[in-house]
Amino acid sequence: MSDPKVTLENSCEAALALGAAPESNEAERTKSTAESSAGFYAHISRLSTSAVSRLSDCCHGGAKMSVLAYSRGKREINQYFNIENAKLLALVAVFLLLIFHSVSRNYGGGDTCERLLSSGRLLGENAWQPYGCMMHRYKSNEAKSCLSEKHIAFIGDSRIRQLFYSYVNIINFEVKEEGMKHENIAFEDGSASLKVDFLWHTEVNSSMKESLTSWTLEGTSLKPDMIVLGAATWSIKLHNGSTEALNQYKTNLTSIARLLEKLAEHIEVIWVLQDPVLEDHLSEDRKMITNQQIDLYNEAALSILNSINSVSKAKVQILRASRLAAEQTISKSLDGLHLPRSTRDISAMVLMNYFCNKILKPIDGSCCLPRPPSTLIQKLTACFFILSISGYLVLNFICRNNHRENKLPKDIESGEEKKPSIAISSVAGLKIPFQSVCKLGLIMAYFYFCDRADIFMKEQKFYTHSSFFIPLIFILVLGFFYNENSKEAKFLNREQTDEWKGWMQLVILIYHISGASAFIPVYMHVRVLVAAYLFQTGYGHFSFFWLKGDFGLHRVCQVLFRLNFLVVVLCLVMDRAYQFYYFVPLVTFWFAVIYGTMAMWPQILQKKASGNALWNLGLLMKLFFLLSCIFLLNYSQGAFENIFSCWPISKLFELQGSVHEWWFRWKLDRFAVFHGMLFAFLYLVLQKCQVLSEGKGEPLFSHRISDFLLFISVVSFLTYSIWASTCKNKTECNTLHPYVSVIQILAFILIRNIPGYARSVYSSFFAWFGKISLELFICQYHIWLAADTKGILVLIPGNPVLNIIISTFIFVCVAHEISQITNELAQIAIPKDGSALLKRLLGGAGFLVVVLLLSAQESKL
């Protein structure tokens, strides 16, 4: 059985780890930061040293010398390749990438609108990826909103008619391709007062010219807002691909191009290049329509339109994306001429993005999306960081000069070194916070460049099983490879909980970047991981309050600062609501609930319960009261929304003017924290009664009970996975999730902790990431993913694998640095002195009031 005093200390340490809160004294926090910086590389060194010692015992002569040489080389590599040097390398990479993308943007030619129309690749059926930007998938209501009181015209042959129908189906999917084929077609939607016309013109001739001329007349009210046109196949067919027909096509298009140029001064004009054909599938009367002929007509159109665009301010846009998509899908054509439906839908969605992104500004449609103007709060935040950087440079200059002038010369009479003046010491003391803020300012600039400035490219996610499971297997192999013995074999010890947070965070990152939410079985398992984080929150904070009874203001402020500092800064820099980073408000809310539950009268702690077992019943009644409140809020959405819609609380929980997102997130894992608190209570009571065996190599219970619980845990774990894998509907599965997620969480805990050998080892690889899991979760929003997690950040265009490697390397370095900055500033912002802390809190409250007032003023403008 374990020593109660040692057990108490170890339980407190584990509680802090699980609660994702900073340690309560500065020495432990500094130690944790140092371990986070060097732990991974120190582990590699220890593995190397251990291997060398074992091999040295059994090897002689040359083999022994080889092992020693390997060990020396390994030590030299570890000496130079550490987290600090990795950060310097990441800084250089960011600087070079900024230069590269800025030069490419300004001198490489082509903005995101041109990229949308002219380049891209097919990811899968009906999934098109423009080069360097993201396409939004417009729904019917969005299309109607964008095209309200607009007029769109399509001009051309049967292939343009098919494009017209695909475009109309975005607005109204019930419209069918019916009626006479070789005639004009009109579509109107009275609810949105929009009109989309198709004009049947099979050739570039005088008839097409007359239609265009009518729209150039002064005062005409029939002029469309966008014209989409193209034709060639009928000219090839009617004239049997003759050279004379091609020359006539060039002459007619040159004449029409002047009209298109004039129209482009006021409206959008898009020429559609001819798609390839599947020659083997063409009917006999179409055999003359060859890809060689189509290429000649496309070259003629490009030559004429580009020559017009080069001397004109208004450009006639050219749609090449349709042809690129058709090259990969024409083999699915039924008649060899007309494209499959999925390809036509891609072209229609490209056109919708081209026209509507400028109007609706969807966050996941970065193609043709203008850069949002900076808000007043963003400008003030930028000024603050610029002044901080300037202040740091001035302080650094002063300290350097003082260092030169006061090199601590020895006193001639006493022989002792003179102490630096108080002024010099105070100036040097200011360097630390200024340095931290300066580094934070540079990091925030990188955040802004990645996800707000139009510098780096963005691409949309596209889920495939390989994009999720291959990286998952890779990191699991790495995690198992880097393992070592724990310092202790206690239940949920510190190393194990860091490991738990680490591997869960890595899985969540892979889930987000691969777009795996589209695959319901993966989605349901990741929902369990989020619930497990909240379970840890309940377990950790409950254990801390139960064991230590520290309800002081200093402790509370430490936790709140650690959780919210980065998110508050991002809200200011990235112009996003606090609720946008939903996990932090969720954890902060539940910490406040745990604190209120444990701190309210009567305060029941382990010391009090040890004297009288009835206090344990009192604590269970408290937990039952908490559970009752959760049930009441769950069954009264109206009351829930009324509570969290009250100003100023609403500013913390509203997203786009509604608390619906907060309701969804809260309801989805509403019991996870309660489960964590209850489990912590049961475990600590059993531990106090010395029922558990927590020695190294010992099973947690007797062999018979341990084997039985282990069997039940494995069966439960697999049963949940089978159930999650059979889910067909997210809504139905989410309804059951709050009640059943705890099964897999508890099963994992028991499987991981019942065997003594399992408690005695941990993965240092996962544990390293676990120490910065909060920063990883938040930073991914803007510097690994893009467009507020809707897409993927592209630092290395054209090479997805290398891009993921480089962006991940920078992302992890930034997250680690932010973790260190947060710990450094927490020591300054949260002093232990009560009066100083109250002053800081008043200052913080004043700052938040100013931000709220400025935000309210901005929303009125």
Side-chain angles (χ1 to χ4, degrees):
M1 297 300 177
S2 55
D3 183 358
K5 292 184 178 179
V6 176
T7 297
L8 174 61
E9 294 174 0
N10 292 328
S11 297
C12 290
E13 186 178 5
L16 288 166
L18 278 167
E23 287 78 357
S24 54
N25 63 71
E26 295 178 8
E28 289 180 358
R29 180 167 54 245
T30 305
K31 180 181 177 182
S32 176
T33 303
E35 288 176 352
S36 178
S37 302
F40 182 68
Y41 303 100
H43 171 60
I44 296 175
S45 181
R46 285 196 296 273
L47 285 178
S48 170
T49 304
S50 176
V52 167
S53 64
R54 289 194 298 269
L55 287 171
S56 298
D57 292 339
C58 62
C59 298
H60 303 281
K64 191 170 184 178
M65 292 299 294
S66 299
V67 171
L68 292 173
Y70 171 81
S71 175
R72 182 178 179 183
K74 196 78 170 180
R75 285 198 301 270
E76 289 180 358
I77 291 173
N78 291 335
Q79 179 182 355
Y80 294 104
F81 186 68
N82 53 46
I83 188 62
E84 298 305 323
N85 289 340
K87 290 176 186 176
L88 290 175
L89 186 60
L91 180 62
V92 172
V94 168
F95 181 71
L96 294 176
L97 288 168
L98 280 171
I99 295 175
F100 168 75
H101 282 273
S102 298
V103 171
S104 300
R105 180 96 182 140
N106 295 322
Y107 301 102
D111 58 13
T112 56
C113 279
E114 291 185 16
R115 291 194 220 128
L116 170 66
L117 295 175
S118 63
S119 60
R121 67 185 190 275
L122 196 65
L123 299 176
E125 187 175 357
N126 209 19
W128 179 253
Q129 173 59 68
Y131 178 73
C133 64
M134 297 166 56
M135 269 196 352
H136 177 67
R137 294 192 63 83
Y138 277 91
K139 299 176 182 177
S140 175
N141 61 329
E142 294 173 317
K144 290 179 181 179
S145 175
C146 166
L147 300 177
S148 177
E149 300 183 356
K150 299 289 192 302
H151 179 200
I152 311 297
F154 287 79
I155 305 175
D157 54 19
S158 59
R159 299 213 276 189
I160 295 294
R161 183 182 64 231
Q162 287 189 318
L163 180 57
F164 157 80
Y165 273 114
S166 290
Y167 192 85
V168 168
N169 284 153
I170 299 175
I171 304 167
N172 185 347
F173 64 90
E174 294 180 353
V175 175
K176 306 297 181 183
E177 295 187 33
E178 54 189 13
M180 297 297 293
K181 293 185 177 181
H182 298 172
E183 63 180 17
N184 298 340
I185 304 171
F187 168 80
E188 293 187 29
D189 188 294
S191 62
S193 301
L194 65 88
K195 183 178 181 182
V196 185
D197 287 332
F198 167 71
L199 304 182
W200 174 255
H201 291 288
T202 58
E203 293 188 87
V204 179
N205 53 23
S206 58
S207 176
M208 181 182 288
K209 185 176 180 179
E210 288 176 7
S211 295
L212 295 173
T213 303
S214 66
W215 290 330
T216 61
L217 300 176
E218 293 292 335
T220 180
S221 60
L222 302 176
K223 186 184 298 182
D225 297 279
M226 182 172 72
I227 300 173
V228 181
L229 73 165
T233 55
W234 275 78
S235 296
I236 299 171
K237 176 182 176 180
L238 294 176
H239 303 282
N240 203 28
S242 66
T243 304
E244 293 78 8
L246 177 61
N247 292 331
Q248 186 63 45
Y249 179 85
K250 293 178 181 178
T251 302
N252 293 343
L253 184 56
T254 302
S255 175
I256 285 177
R258 298 297 177 185
L259 294 174
L260 297 179
E261 175 192 2
K262 187 174 182 180
L263 287 168
E265 294 176 0
H266 307 286
I267 64 174
E268 300 289 351
V269 179
I270 300 175
W271 181 269
V272 182
L273 290 183
Q274 294 300 300
D275 301 320
V277 295
L278 189 62
E279 296 181 15
D280 295 340
H281 282 53
L282 292 172
S283 59
E284 288 300 323
D285 61 336
R286 293 173 176 170
K287 286 294 185 181
M288 69 291 296
I289 307 175
T290 64
N291 285 319
Q292 182 181 7
Q293 284 288 321
I294 285 176
D295 289 342
L296 290 173
Y297 277 75
N298 279 337
E299 288 171 8
L302 286 171
S303 176
I304 294 168
L305 295 175
N306 285 336
S307 64
I308 293 294
N309 289 338
S310 62
V311 296
S312 174
K313 292 182 179 179
K315 287 187 176 183
V316 177
Q317 300 295 336
I318 300 173
L319 179 61
R320 296 180 177 89
S322 175
R323 176 176 173 80
L324 294 175
E327 287 174 351
Q328 302 177 57
T329 60
I330 190 62
S331 60
K332 299 178 182 179
S333 173
L334 298 177
D335 60 5
L337 179 66
H338 298 101
L339 301 178
R341 179 60 184 264
S342 61
T343 310
R344 288 181 271 137
D345 290 345
I346 287 173
S347 301
M349 196 60 72
V350 167
L351 293 174
M352 191 67 75
N353 274 260
Y354 176 79
F355 189 81
C356 291
N357 284 3
K358 308 166 191 175
I359 300 172
L360 298 186
K361 300 179 176 61
I363 189 62
D364 63 338
S366 63
C367 300
C368 286
L369 186 68
R371 186 176 69 87
S374 299
T375 65
L376 177 61
I377 293 176
Q378 287 177 301
K379 293 175 182 177
L380 292 175
T381 304
C383 290
F384 170 78
F385 281 123
I386 291 171
L387 291 174
S388 298
I389 293 171
S390 303
Y392 172 72
L393 294 175
V394 170
L395 285 174
N396 198 46
F397 178 76
I398 293 172
C399 289
R400 284 179 179 271
N401 286 342
N402 289 336
H403 180 71
R404 291 171 185 169
E405 296 173 3
N406 303 281
K407 285 197 173 182
L408 303 178
K410 290 186 178 181
D411 188 276
I412 297 176
E413 295 182 1
S414 64
E416 297 178 353
E417 290 184 349
K418 293 182 178 180
K419 295 181 178 180
S421 64
I422 296 175
I424 295 174
S425 300
S426 61
V427 171
L430 286 173
K431 274 188 66 178
I432 298 175
F434 268 95
Q435 184 182 37
S436 297
V437 174
C438 177
K439 290 190 290 185
L440 183 64
L442 294 175
I443 290 172
M444 288 300 110
Y446 178 62
F447 272 75
Y448 188 87
F449 290 146
C450 286
D451 211 19
R452 288 297 175 270
D454 195 13
I455 295 179
F456 296 118
M457 298 179 180
K458 303 174 179 66
E459 291 188 352
Q460 56 232 30
K461 304 173 186 177
F462 181 73
Y463 175 75
T464 61
H465 292 321
S466 60
S467 67
F468 176 77
F469 288 104
I470 290 177
L472 180 65
I473 294 170
F474 179 73
I475 63 131
L476 290 178
V477 170
L478 279 178
F480 283 116
F481 180 75
Y482 289 108
N483 65 82
E484 61 180 88
N485 293 328
S486 302
K487 295 177 183 177
E488 56 184 355
K490 300 298 179 184
F491 183 88
L492 286 176
N493 57 70
R494 179 61 179 268
E495 291 92 348
Q496 186 188 137
T497 54
D498 282 338
E499 171 201 273
W500 190 10
K501 289 188 291 184
W503 71 257
M504 287 198 303
Q505 184 57 59
L506 292 177
V507 172
I508 290 173
L509 290 176
I510 296 171
Y511 164 83
H512 281 157
I513 202 166
S514 64
S517 61
F519 187 46
I520 295 180
V522 173
Y523 168 82
M524 292 307 302
H525 281 87
V526 170
R527 290 259 50 89
V528 174
L529 300 188
V530 176
Y533 267 105
L534 294 174
F535 181 94
Q536 289 183 19
T537 297
Y539 181 99
H541 289 305
F542 175 90
S543 300
F544 180 87
F545 291 131
W546 174 256
L547 296 172
K548 288 196 170 184
D550 181 4
F551 298 100
L553 187 61
H554 179 261
R555 159 73 181 173
V556 173
C557 291
Q558 270 192 324
V559 175
L560 295 179
F561 187 92
R562 174 76 174 86
L563 290 174
N564 292 275
F565 172 72
L566 175 57
V567 166
V568 170
V569 174
L570 286 176
C571 289
L572 301 176
V573 173
M574 307 303 288
D575 187 31
R576 284 295 172 265
Y578 177 68
Q579 181 58 218
F580 174 75
Y581 307 93
Y582 74 92
F583 185 72
V584 171
L586 200 59
V587 176
T588 302
F589 168 80
W590 282 115
F591 169 74
V593 170
I594 298 166
Y595 179 85
T597 302
M598 299 298 292
M600 73 177 183
W601 184 90
Q603 287 186 6
I604 305 174
L605 309 177
Q606 189 183 61
K607 293 179 181 178
K608 184 181 290 188
S610 298
N612 188 343
L614 289 177
W615 286 114
N616 290 324
L617 182 60
L619 184 70
L620 288 174
M621 292 179 66
K622 273 190 170 187
L623 294 179
F624 177 77
F625 175 75
L626 172 61
L627 183 62
S628 302
C629 293
I630 294 172
F631 270 107
L632 286 174
L633 284 177
N634 176 55
Y635 288 109
S636 180
Q637 183 177 354
F640 183 95
E641 292 181 351
N642 289 334
I643 292 171
F644 292 102
S645 296
C646 298
W647 194 92
I649 297 176
S650 59
K651 293 298 180 182
L652 299 177
F653 299 105
E654 282 185 352
L655 189 63
Q656 298 177 347
S658 171
V659 296
H660 178 75
E661 179 69 14
W662 167 239
W663 161 254
F664 171 75
R665 297 293 180 182
W666 177 88
K667 185 177 181 180
L668 199 57
D669 295 303
R670 57 188 178 274
F671 299 124
V673 170
F674 169 79
H675 289 148
M677 296 173 70
L678 181 61
F679 183 78
F681 172 72
L682 296 175
Y683 161 67
L684 292 172
V685 168
L686 292 176
Q687 186 188 63
K688 186 69 176 176
C689 297
Q690 300 187 7
V691 174
L692 308 176
S693 300
E694 297 182 292
K696 283 201 172 185
E698 298 179 3
L700 199 61
F701 303 95
S702 66
H703 287 284
R704 180 174 296 179
I705 295 176
S706 295
D707 291 343
F708 174 75
L709 289 177
L710 201 57
F711 173 77
I712 294 297
S713 299
V714 171
V715 171
S716 300
F717 191 94
L718 295 176
T719 300
Y720 179 89
S721 293
I722 293 170
W723 171 79
S725 299
T726 58
C727 277
K728 302 299 181 182
N729 183 284
K730 281 186 179 181
T731 303
E732 294 177 1
C733 294
N734 283 340
T735 302
L736 291 175
H737 166 77
Y739 302 97
V740 299
S741 60
V742 68
I743 295 173
Q744 195 163 47
I745 295 172
L746 293 179
F748 169 78
I749 293 173
L750 294 178
I751 293 170
R752 185 70 178 83
N753 286 273
I754 287 177
Y757 59 85
R759 294 198 313 275
S760 302
V761 295
Y762 77 102
S763 169
S764 58
F765 176 80
F766 290 143
W768 190 88
F769 285 99
K771 293 173 182 176
I772 57 171
S773 60
L774 181 65
E775 287 74 19
L776 288 171
F777 189 89
I778 299 169
C779 290
Q780 67 167 325
Y781 277 71
H782 303 295
I783 63 170
W784 198 51
L785 304 175
D788 295 344
T789 75
K790 303 295 184 183
I792 300 171
L793 180 68
V794 178
L795 300 179
I796 310 294
N799 194 326
V801 175
L802 182 60
N803 176 67
I804 288 295
I805 293 172
I806 299 298
S807 64
T808 301
F809 174 70
I810 296 172
F811 160 58
V812 172
C813 289
V814 168
H816 189 276
E817 184 63 25
I818 289 178
S819 178
Q820 289 187 322
I821 291 171
T822 303
N823 287 333
E824 290 169 2
L825 293 178
Q827 297 179 38
I828 300 166
I830 313 296
K832 289 187 175 181
D833 180 67
S835 59
L837 179 56
L838 286 174
K839 292 178 182 178
R840 301 283 171 83
L841 289 176
L842 290 174
F847 167 76
L848 291 177
V849 169
V850 171
V851 170
L852 288 175
L853 293 175
L854 289 174
S855 178
Q857 187 66 26
E858 285 276 344
S859 61
K860 292 179 181 179
L861 298 178

